Amino acid sequence: MPTPPKLEFNEGAISAPILSVTPASNANTPPSIIPQSTIDERAHFLPAIKANFHSFYETEKTITWLQAAKPKSTPLFKIALQLPDYLLPDSPQLIIHIKTSFPNDSLVYILGDTTYGSCCVDQVAADHLSSDAIVHYGRSCLTRNTRIPTFNVFGRLPIDVEDCVKQIIGLGLEQQQQQQQKLLVLYDVFYEHAIGELEERLKNDCDFVSVVAGMVTKSFENSTYDSEKANRGCCEGEGGEDYEVEREVEVEVEVERVSSVSAKVSHENIIGGLIIENIPPESSLENYNLIYIGPTTKTATTSNKQLLNILMRCCGTNGTKTQMIYDPTTSTLHNDAHSLCKRELQRRFYLTSKTKTASTIGIVVGTLGVTRFREVITRCRNLIASAGKKSYTFVVGKINVAKLANYAEIEAFVIVACPENSLLESRDFHVPVITPFELGVALGGREWDGFYSVEFGDFLAESSGSGSGSGSGSGGDGDGNGNDNEDDDDDDDEDDDAPVYSMVTGKYETKNKIINQQQNLNLEAYPGQGKLTQFDSAAGTFLKNREYQGLEANVGMTEVKAAVEGLDGIASDYS
């Protein structure tokens, strides 16, 4: 009998060793079950991890934070570690290091496959395990978490700060020009460790009027978190009510280079997940030049959705004066960053234009942890209802083409997710998949004027400030000016039959409206006197018009027969 294989942890290995008891002489090399993209990402981070494992993973800071976050009344401290696939080979060493600091009263474990995306803190899985704290490793969308105490460890990639400052100085901004310029520094989270030094050097070596660097939230503390409440379930609170992520408590968060700030930050100060402070109210982004620190193209590490979100926000209306990118991987500075998002903006406009003629729109929930996501869903429903269209809400986990293709009656989808997962790259979806902000444009809430954002705060501010937003479609979210809403409704009634010019087809097309909600109807004056006489469903009508409607049950139409013994043995031998 062959000897069982011996398990050994290979520190820094790109992939786990393949365990087999088959003799080497008869063994064939099996195909790799690890995606090539994961192997490439691992290879990109491997030099930095090998150079200084504890520095890359900030192990000392993690232990210090865990000691402070440990509940005093908890007999067993449950610590959940969340790592992306390319960092999973280091999880055994991380567990051993943390367990050494909490030897007797802790349970340290790895969260499995994430519910939505690895950039988001998986609060759902952590709640199922009644976790007391979460340590999130790798790329983060920087969305705020107020349910379970969380610590972010981004990882540290090398950057030549001196070369970066030198290239910014030599870009072409002369001395007299620098004295009139303001600089906004945003960055990929993997270089967050060097931004403090970079900001200081820019202030000392350059003559910019102002240098403002974005800040990241390293940890979210929740002193009111109750593990007993978590044990009741991740979706229920007291009285069976929804366990709101956005609770009315002041959550103090630790921010690098700032002692503490409130988690309730104005939406105007968040770009690409980074908190923008120290910009006077009388100033605006239009007075600043953007310098982004991070890779410029799709690399092994990431497709860099953060960079795309930042450029689409800063290149349009109310954006920055200029946009520059310093790529630490190649030590090059690019001053034509706006060209990187031009094609994507054209695609987003195309999808938004196609959605204008959709009559049935699906709202896909792509997160259960991003702050205010329930409010965004409500606003989307109100926008769709006020436009006379039908909406359905779906929760399908990780979104892919096959899942959404099951809903053939849906003519467009709106995805409510974190900024990193809002812009889907796949072109295989059978209908447009847009963001809540684009929904507001498609339904006439605002014009496509060059301003673009994937932040929930920007969408909620826009929809609450417009008459066709949540105020006109729902009595509960009105703007308080009843007369204005009536005027808007009158205008909508006048334009019900007006065609819409489609930028996709180049023709005028009819608005596909299903319903036109009216408030305070006197149902007794209508036939049926308020009783249900007919029920119309957009999905039901679509199914009725389909040629194939699925398997037919034929209940009561098929003769009932007694069960008989069937064939057995090998199928090929059946006669």
Side-chain angles (χ1 to χ4, degrees):
M1 182 176 179
T3 304
K6 182 180 180 180
L7 296 178
E8 293 182 355
F9 293 120
N10 184 4
E11 179 181 353
I14 293 181
S15 60
I18 298 175
L19 305 180
S20 175
V21 295
T22 306
S25 58
N26 298 329
N28 296 323
T29 303
S32 175
I33 61 175
I34 302 178
Q36 185 61 39
S37 59
T38 301
I39 297 177
D40 293 340
E41 287 175 333
R42 175 68 179 174
H44 182 83
F45 287 96
L46 196 55
I49 296 174
K50 285 187 173 181
N52 195 329
F53 180 92
H54 294 288
S55 175
F56 182 88
Y57 285 107
E58 303 182 53
T59 54
E60 296 304 322
K61 285 187 177 180
T62 303
I63 295 300
T64 302
W65 179 84
L66 286 173
Q67 291 173 344
K70 179 181 178 182
K72 297 180 179 179
S73 59
T74 301
L76 184 63
F77 187 23
K78 298 180 180 180
I79 305 172
L81 307 184
Q82 181 181 340
L83 296 92
D85 292 343
Y86 55 86
L87 297 181
L88 276 177
D90 300 322
S91 58
Q93 189 171 349
L94 290 171
I95 290 179
I96 292 173
H97 184 79
I98 295 176
K99 188 65 178 178
T100 303
S101 301
F102 302 91
N104 301 321
D105 58 348
S106 67
L107 177 62
V108 186
Y109 45 84
I110 303 295
L111 295 180
D113 192 22
T114 56
T115 307
Y116 291 102
S118 60
C119 63
C120 300
V121 178
D122 197 349
Q123 302 178 61
V124 176
D127 267 341
H128 288 167
L129 298 171
S130 302
S131 304
D132 297 306
I134 305 174
V135 182
H136 180 276
Y137 293 91
R139 172 170 293 281
S140 171
C141 55
L142 302 175
T143 52
R144 279 148 185 77
N145 168 26
T146 60
R147 183 183 298 180
I148 302 176
T150 305
F151 186 74
N152 287 316
V153 178
F154 307 120
R156 299 187 173 194
L157 290 180
I159 177 176
D160 190 342
V161 176
E162 183 176 354
D163 177 74
C164 179
V165 174
K166 185 182 301 184
Q167 293 206 40
I168 294 176
I169 295 177
L171 184 62
L173 296 177
E174 302 296 339
Q175 196 74 14
Q176 60 273 18
Q177 292 179 320
Q178 289 186 13
Q179 295 176 358
Q180 303 174 0
Q181 301 292 334
K182 299 179 180 180
L183 197 63
L184 175 62
V185 182
L186 303 180
Y187 48 88
D188 196 347
V189 292
F190 297 117
Y191 304 99
E192 175 269 335
H193 62 95
I195 297 304
E197 179 185 356
L198 176 62
E199 181 182 9
E200 195 67 25
R201 289 287 302 275
L202 289 174
K203 290 180 179 179
N204 296 335
D205 299 351
C206 305
D207 292 330
F208 292 108
V209 176
S210 173
V211 177
V212 176
M215 296 176 292
V216 297
T217 305
K218 290 288 290 184
S219 66
F220 295 94
E221 310 291 347
N222 190 351
S223 59
T224 62
Y225 176 75
D226 185 359
S227 59
E228 294 182 358
K229 183 175 292 185
N231 291 335
R232 288 195 293 267
C234 64
C235 301
E236 287 189 350
E238 297 179 358
E241 298 177 354
D242 287 345
Y243 186 74
E244 289 286 344
V245 174
E246 182 189 5
R247 296 186 295 171
E248 295 299 326
V249 295
E250 287 294 328
V251 183
E252 294 301 322
V253 295
E254 176 191 351
V255 178
E256 289 295 302
R257 289 170 287 115
V258 177
S259 57
S260 65
V261 297
S262 174
K264 297 182 178 180
V265 184
S266 171
H267 71 276
E268 297 177 352
N269 296 333
I270 299 179
I271 300 179
L274 301 173
I275 302 173
I276 311 300
E277 287 196 336
N278 303 323
I279 294 183
E282 65 275 4
S283 183
S284 65
L285 289 179
E286 297 176 347
N287 300 322
Y288 283 81
N289 299 277
L290 170 66
I291 174 71
Y292 178 82
I293 310 298
T296 57
T297 58
K298 296 181 180 179
T299 63
T301 56
T302 174
S303 59
N304 211 345
K305 299 272 187 72
Q306 183 201 34
L307 171 59
L308 183 61
N309 294 337
I310 290 176
L311 291 180
M312 294 175 72
R313 171 65 179 86
C314 294
C315 290
T317 306
N318 300 327
T320 55
K321 186 184 301 184
T322 61
Q323 301 84 31
M324 301 172 289
I325 302 177
Y326 177 80
D327 189 345
T329 60
T330 59
S331 298
T332 54
L333 184 67
H334 306 268
N335 57 5
D336 58 344
H338 61 278
S339 62
L340 298 178
C341 67
K342 183 177 180 181
R343 180 178 295 273
E344 183 63 24
L345 278 173
Q346 293 174 343
R347 172 167 172 76
R348 304 315 304 181
F349 179 74
Y350 166 77
L351 296 176
T352 303
S353 300
K354 288 189 66 175
T355 307
K356 291 183 177 180
T357 57
S359 59
T360 307
I361 300 176
I363 302 174
V364 182
V365 181
T367 178
L368 293 178
V370 178
T371 306
R372 306 182 74 182
F373 81 95
R374 289 184 176 87
E375 187 177 351
V376 172
I377 294 175
T378 301
R379 293 289 177 88
C380 288
R381 289 172 177 168
N382 291 337
L383 276 173
I384 296 171
S386 64
K389 303 176 184 292
K390 183 66 176 178
S391 67
Y392 293 90
T393 305
F394 304 94
V395 180
V396 297
K398 291 184 178 180
I399 300 172
N400 56 42
V401 176
K403 288 181 179 179
L404 298 190
N406 289 323
Y407 308 103
E409 63 272 21
I410 303 298
E411 300 176 43
F413 287 97
V414 182
I415 178 172
V416 179
C418 74
E420 295 276 333
N421 293 319
S422 293
L423 304 181
L424 302 182
E425 295 180 346
S426 176
R427 297 174 181 266
D428 297 331
F429 291 100
H430 66 293
V431 294
V433 182
I434 62 175
T435 66
F437 181 84
E438 293 165 348
L439 177 68
V441 177
L443 300 184
R446 60 166 294 144
E447 296 293 332
W448 184 281
D449 57 1
F451 177 82
Y452 191 91
S453 176
V454 294
E455 297 289 344
F456 284 176
D458 290 324
F459 166 70
L460 293 173
E462 289 286 342
S463 59
S464 63
S466 60
S468 59
S470 59
S472 61
S474 172
D477 290 328
D479 56 6
N481 299 324
N483 295 333
D484 293 341
N485 286 337
E486 292 178 0
D487 293 341
D488 291 341
D489 293 339
D490 293 340
D491 294 339
D492 291 341
D493 292 339
E494 294 176 1
D495 298 331
D496 275 347
D497 297 329
V500 177
Y501 181 77
S502 173
M503 299 293 290
V504 179
T505 62
K507 302 177 181 178
Y508 281 96
E509 298 186 3
T510 304
K511 293 180 181 179
N512 293 326
K513 287 193 173 185
I514 295 180
I515 56 175
N516 186 12
Q517 288 187 343
Q518 300 181 20
Q519 303 294 334
N520 301 325
L521 292 178
N522 183 11
L523 298 178
E524 295 183 356
Y526 288 82
Q529 299 180 350
K531 297 180 181 179
L532 181 62
T533 58
Q534 183 179 358
F535 176 75
D536 292 329
S537 169
T541 303
F542 179 86
L543 178 63
K544 184 177 179 180
N545 295 331
R546 291 184 62 174
E547 181 178 352
Y548 175 72
Q549 300 181 1
L551 298 177
E552 297 180 0
N554 294 329
V555 178
M557 301 173 59
T558 305
E559 181 183 356
V560 179
K561 296 181 179 180
V564 297
E565 183 178 356
L567 300 176
D568 58 3
I570 303 175
S572 60
D573 294 339
Y574 293 166
S575 59

